[in-house]
């Protein structure tokens, strides 16, 4: 069953009820779910979207049925001027089993893109991930909490219609239940992409 709606300001809503069937290790899991999608573009500078998935699920790590699963995604994009865009994104993933909440994962991201001209742009991404587990509900050892901070900066220049140059930098920071977010690694990279047309 599903319903669709389209309205002013490019408003769109979709809702559906589904039955999912998943087979893992020869075991069949069947569970109902509800899906929703909502998006709106109130003006030429702003665009917003949210998606949701609610219902049953599967604990793939321990190969068992889950009591409830929730997945929510949201995105807001803003273009204050023609050459600049800023996108804010947040995702939530949560799974519960008979004994309680198995895990919760939160991801937040900011992405900024500046178009310097028709041939080049600069992009910056900052992403934070926070995942909490309930170790007693797992059949193997697992950290109660893991965190990660990722950043990337990229410069792109189109040398000609077939050749693009990329220069960039990225780093990763990670932490567990105790302590902060020490940097794990950093990378400088350069890449040339060439479209070969026979």
């Amino acid at each position: 069953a599903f319903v669709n709606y389209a309205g002013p300001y490019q408003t769109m809503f979709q809702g559906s009820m589904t039955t999912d069937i998943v087979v893992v290790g020869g075991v069949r899991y069947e569970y109902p779910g509800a899906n929703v999608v909502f998006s709106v573009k109130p003006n030429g500078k702003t665009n917003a979207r949210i998606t949701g998935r609610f219902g049953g699920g599967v604990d793939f790590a321990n190969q068992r049925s889950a009591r409830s699963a929730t997945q929510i995604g949201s995105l807001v994009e803003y273009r204050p001027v023609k050459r600049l865009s800023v996108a804010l994104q947040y995702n939530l993933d949560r799974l519960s089993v008979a004994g309680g909440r198995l895990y919760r994962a939160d991801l937040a991201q900011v992405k900024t893109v500046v178009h310097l001209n028709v041939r080049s742009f600069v992009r910056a991404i900052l992403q934070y991930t926070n995942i909490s587990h309930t170790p007693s509900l797992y059949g193997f050892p697992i950290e109660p909490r893991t965190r990660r901070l990722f950043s990337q900066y990229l410069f792109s220049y189109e040398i000609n219609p077939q050749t693009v140059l990329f220069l960039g930098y990225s780093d990763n920071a990670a932490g567990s239940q105790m302590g902060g977010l020490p940097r794990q690694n950093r990378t400088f990279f350069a890449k040339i992409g060439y479209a070969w047309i026979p």
Side-chain angles (χ1 to χ4, degrees):
F2 65 91
V3 59
N4 292 331
Y5 169 78
Y9 303 107
Q10 297 186 35
T11 301
M12 185 273 293
F13 173 81
Q14 295 178 338
S16 64
M17 299 294 294
T18 62
T19 297
D20 293 343
I21 298 173
V22 179
V23 179
V24 182
V27 180
R28 174 188 170 108
Y29 301 93
E30 184 173 340
Y31 50 88
N35 305 278
V36 294
V37 179
F38 173 78
S39 64
V40 63
K41 191 172 183 179
N43 52 55
K45 297 181 178 181
T46 308
N47 182 38
R49 179 182 178 90
I50 185 168
T51 62
R53 168 72 171 84
F54 312 92
V58 178
D59 173 11
F60 293 99
N62 299 285
Q63 294 194 4
R64 61 185 169 183
S65 178
R67 187 180 64 191
S68 66
T70 301
Q71 295 176 323
I72 297 174
S74 60
L75 173 68
V76 176
E77 186 175 12
Y78 179 58
R79 297 177 179 268
V81 294
K82 186 176 181 180
R83 294 185 177 183
L84 172 66
S85 70
V86 180
L88 306 176
Q89 182 179 352
Y90 171 73
N91 292 332
L92 166 68
D93 190 353
R94 185 174 60 197
L95 190 71
S96 296
V97 294
R101 189 180 74 190
L102 185 70
Y103 71 82
R104 172 177 173 145
D106 297 88
L107 181 146
Q109 176 177 287
V110 180
K111 181 173 75 172
T112 303
V113 180
V114 180
H115 290 270
L116 305 176
N117 51 52
V118 295
R119 287 176 173 248
S120 62
F121 69 84
V122 177
R123 185 187 72 191
I125 295 176
L126 184 65
Q127 185 184 91
Y128 175 71
T129 306
N130 183 14
I131 304 176
S132 59
H133 303 92
T134 305
S136 61
L137 298 178
Y138 285 81
F140 50 87
I142 192 169
E143 287 281 350
R145 183 185 182 196
T146 56
R147 295 179 296 157
R148 178 173 175 260
L149 183 64
F150 167 78
S151 63
Q152 184 187 79
Y153 306 92
L154 176 72
F155 170 74
S156 172
Y157 179 72
E158 183 181 295
I159 299 172
N160 57 53
Q162 291 179 264
T163 310
V164 182
L165 169 67
F166 300 99
L167 300 173
Y169 164 84
S170 66
D171 62 27
N172 280 286
S176 57
Q177 183 76 358
M178 305 298 292
L181 284 167
R183 180 181 285 118
Q184 303 294 306
N185 57 62
R186 61 175 62 183
T187 304
F188 294 91
F189 60 90
K191 176 183 176 182
I192 293 180
Y194 179 76
W196 181 70
I197 301 175

